[in-house]
Amino acid sequence: MPATPPIPLVQRAFVQPVAGGEANLVHDHPVARPSSLQPGQSLVKLSHAGVCHTDLGIKRNQFPNTPKPYLVGGHEGVGIVVAIGDHTVSNKIKVGQRVGIKYLARACLSCEMCLKGLEGHCAEYKTTGYDFDGTFCEYTVAYVDMVTSIPDELESGDAAVIMCAGVTVYSALLQSNTHIGDWIVILGAGGGLGHLAVQYAVAMGLRVVAVDTGLVKRDFCLSLGSEAWLDFKESSNLVSDIREMTQGGAHAVLVVAGGEAAYTTAAMYLRETGTLLVVGLPPGAILSIPVLLVAARGLTIRGVFLGSRQQAVEAVNIAATGRVKCTYTIRGLSELNDVYAEMEKGRIIGRVVLDITK
């Protein structure tokens, strides 16, 4: 095995010192020393990092209890483990291994939620790019029991996106109470999360109604395997159209759109005992559903925020087979502020993945 390159003392990193302000690319951000790693921690040399709308929300200071001063953002990272803390025990991660870093950075792993595989609901969970330094940098610290091993068949850029967008929608689909042949409506199907949700749903044997707008997104969603398409700007009655397409209503509705309007009539698309999956997080949005509708139809409303460690393994393994492929553009780390500006204006198609070397 070739010798591990020396680990530098400092690195390039995007640091946002003021909540709601601009992120600054610095060239002297300290790199954790291998000798400073705690048992269970690793140092990862990053090659790629995805840019998520949650990153933009953190930048805007839209989440409560935002750390001040800001840390390094980002939570979709892929890189090579270059050091592991002394006295680390019972882990399968080795120096030289390629791993993925997720939003979920730490959990106690021993409480009721963790033992049920619901680490994202652990009272002590911590997150990457929010509680801890994230992936918009060259080197970052990650816990070995929280990273995900990346299969050789999966490119690092693809894997970076799966670490958040892919895991999240895959987790939602697993909680949708659906079976092979059931109908699922995906609102925001042509977007970053949506186009992955379409592919995972098709891989799971579901029949997909893709809802979004524009001819480009129509053709895109149909090419990914959507059985039906609806343009929400052209439909005069989405509820009627969807219930007709699905012969009485969808078995599940997955909302990954970022606008509050997507939730306005989402529950009306469901048939009896259907499930509404709440994934998209419009700032300040309130979910309002008639109680009688929920009770009379026996509906389930399920929020999905973080996938589990096992779901991350499954999501990347499915992607490694080629059945799920992310559409993204590669940009340089130095372009992060430009990417944020384009996200603000809704100009991003698919996802953006940063090449950390640029």
Side-chain angles (χ1 to χ4, degrees), residues 22-40:
E22 286 297 304
N24 301 317
L25 178 63
V26 301
H27 292 75
D28 58 355
H29 193 69
V31 177
R33 309 320 300 156
S35 59
S36 72
L37 298 175
Q38 299 175 10

Side-chain angles (χ1 to χ4, degrees), residues 42-56:
S42 67
L43 182 65
V44 180
K45 182 180 181 182
L46 294 160
S47 64
H48 295 81
V51 186
C52 178
H53 270 276
T54 300
D55 297 317
L56 182 59

Side-chain angles (χ1 to χ4, degrees), residues 226-260:
S226 297
E227 188 168 334
W229 160 266
L230 272 173
D231 190 315
F232 66 84
K233 289 186 177 180
E234 294 184 356
S235 173
S236 59
N237 192 325
L238 269 178
V239 174
S240 176
D241 289 343
I242 288 174
R243 293 184 67 82
E244 180 179 353
M245 282 183 171
T246 57
Q247 296 96 49
H251 298 85
V253 172
L254 171 58
V255 183
V256 291
E260 186 173 3

Side-chain angles (χ1 to χ4, degrees), residues 270-322:
L270 292 165
R271 67 178 63 200
E272 285 70 17
T273 71
T275 300
L276 174 62
L277 298 157
V278 177
V279 175
L281 302 174
I286 301 295
L287 183 62
S288 180
I289 299 175
V291 172
L292 180 60
L293 175 70
V294 176
R297 290 192 181 172
L299 303 182
T300 297
I301 302 169
R302 184 174 295 279
V304 181
F305 188 59
L306 296 173
S308 70
R309 293 178 297 160
Q310 177 59 29
Q311 289 165 352
V313 172
E314 295 170 7
V316 297
N317 286 341
I318 292 171
T321 68

Side-chain angles (χ1 to χ4, degrees), residues 21-325:
E22 286 297 304
N24 301 317
L25 178 63
V26 301
H27 292 75
D28 58 355
H29 193 69
V31 177
R33 309 320 300 156
S35 59
S36 72
L37 298 175
Q38 299 175 10
Q41 290 183 330
S42 67
L43 182 65
V44 180
K45 182 180 181 182
L46 294 160
S47 64
H48 295 81
V51 186
C52 178
H53 270 276
T54 300
D55 297 317
L56 182 59
I58 293 172
K59 175 185 179 297
R60 290 169 167 171
N61 198 27
Q62 291 175 345
F63 295 94
N65 304 317
T66 300
K68 297 180 180 66
Y70 263 62
L71 304 173
V72 175
H75 59 269
E76 298 178 344
V78 173
I80 302 296
V81 175
V82 294
I84 294 177
D86 290 341
H87 309 297
T88 296
V89 297
S90 302
N91 78 85
K92 298 180 180 179
I93 302 300
K94 307 296 182 185
V95 171
Q97 188 169 350
R98 189 169 57 124
V99 298
I101 296 172
K102 304 178 291 297
Y103 190 54
L104 182 61
R106 191 69 178 132
C108 79
L109 304 184
S110 60
C111 68
E112 176 189 358
M113 293 295 103
C114 286
L115 292 174
K116 288 180 176 179
L118 301 171
E119 302 97 333
H121 296 287
C122 173
E124 299 179 21
Y125 87 86
K126 302 293 183 183
T127 58
T128 305
Y130 190 77
D131 296 300
F132 298 141
D133 272 357
T135 56
F136 295 153
C137 56
E138 296 173 320
Y139 291 84
T140 196
V141 174
Y143 284 88
V144 295
D145 52 10
M146 303 304 290
V147 299
T148 303
S149 179
I150 304 301
D152 292 340
E153 298 82 2
L154 193 60
E155 296 289 337
S156 292
D158 295 89
V161 177
I162 299 299
M163 286 299 97
C164 179
V167 174
T168 301
V169 297
Y170 177 68
S171 177
L173 291 167
L174 290 179
Q175 300 176 67
S176 65
N177 300 316
T178 53
H179 303 86
I180 293 174
D182 284 352
W183 284 101
I184 185 166
V185 173
I186 300 176
L187 303 176
L193 275 75
H195 84 285
L196 292 173
V198 169
Q199 295 174 80
Y200 277 114
V202 170
M204 296 165 71
L206 301 180
R207 305 175 72 182
V208 176
V209 177
V211 179
D212 215 311
T213 187
L215 295 178
V216 172
K217 289 189 175 181
R218 180 199 68 183
D219 294 344
F220 183 40
C221 290
L222 293 176
S223 74
L224 298 175
S226 297
E227 188 168 334
W229 160 266
L230 272 173
D231 190 315
F232 66 84
K233 289 186 177 180
E234 294 184 356
S235 173
S236 59
N237 192 325
L238 269 178
V239 174
S240 176
D241 289 343
I242 288 174
R243 293 184 67 82
E244 180 179 353
M245 282 183 171
T246 57
Q247 296 96 49
H251 298 85
V253 172
L254 171 58
V255 183
V256 291
E260 186 173 3
Y263 284 103
T264 303
T265 56
M268 299 294 293
Y269 310 150
L270 292 165
R271 67 178 63 200
E272 285 70 17
T273 71
T275 300
L276 174 62
L277 298 157
V278 177
V279 175
L281 302 174
I286 301 295
L287 183 62
S288 180
I289 299 175
V291 172
L292 180 60
L293 175 70
V294 176
R297 290 192 181 172
L299 303 182
T300 297
I301 302 169
R302 184 174 295 279
V304 181
F305 188 59
L306 296 173
S308 70
R309 293 178 297 160
Q310 177 59 29
Q311 289 165 352
V313 172
E314 295 170 7
V316 297
N317 286 341
I318 292 171
T321 68
R323 285 178 287 177
V324 173
K325 179 70 175 177

